[in-house]
Amino acid sequence: DRVSHTSVSSGINAEYGGTDIQERKCSWLFITAMSIASEEHKSQLVARYGRDDEESVAIVKDLYRSISLRERYLEYSSKVYQEISTVIAEDKSGLPKEIFQDFLDSIHKRSK
């Protein structure tokens, strides 16, 4: 479960700069939007998500902005980073903690 949270960091960057919307990927942004959006916004998402035209992509991105998904993601990402850092720091397995922390640091707040 903790590992799945670390993969979230690439999700927001791909969503805003990649083709996740057009490819109808099951991203953190889409799942979160569907869980918090109004019924009207959910209908728009369902109708537009996965379509490969500029208008649909723009509507989905505008909807994401209207429900502050970037801010929600940044808050979530920081929280998960702290949780995983705590797990690493408290690990008693004898494995080198620096390797895990360095890896976590390398993927936290990355742009791709």
Side-chain angles (χ1 to χ4, degrees):
D1 186 42
R2 300 263 188 225
V3 173
S4 67
H5 292 303
T6 61
S7 66
V8 170
S9 65
S10 63
I12 195 159
N13 297 312
E15 196 83 26
Y16 278 100
T19 58
D20 286 7
I21 294 169
Q22 297 92 317
E23 294 175 13
R24 198 173 179 88
K25 290 188 178 175
C26 188
S27 69
W28 183 91
L29 291 172
F30 179 75
I31 292 167
T32 302
M34 289 299 288
S35 70
I36 64 172
S38 68
E39 290 304 315
E40 179 184 344
H41 284 159
K42 287 179 187 178
S43 294
Q44 289 177 5
L45 272 174
V46 168
R48 298 294 184 154
Y49 201 77
R51 293 180 56 187
D52 194 9
D53 62 271
E54 290 182 25
E55 180 183 6
S56 292
V57 172
I59 288 170
V60 170
K61 288 181 179 182
D62 285 345
L63 192 146
Y64 285 175
R65 280 189 280 280
S66 76
I67 59 176
S68 305
L69 275 189
R70 180 171 284 285
E71 293 78 11
R72 289 173 190 269
Y73 166 76
L74 293 172
E75 183 179 313
Y76 172 79
S77 176
S78 293
K79 178 183 169 210
V80 169
Y81 174 83
Q82 290 302 320
E83 290 173 358
I84 295 171
S85 290
T86 299
V87 169
I88 292 169
E90 294 174 354
D91 180 66
K92 306 275 191 248
S93 70
L95 295 171
K97 297 175 184 181
E98 301 81 24
I99 292 173
F100 296 102
Q101 189 62 52
D102 288 348
F103 176 72
L104 179 62
D105 292 343
S106 75
I107 62 172
H108 183 64
K109 295 186 179 180
R110 68 181 178 181
S111 62
K112 286 245 173 198

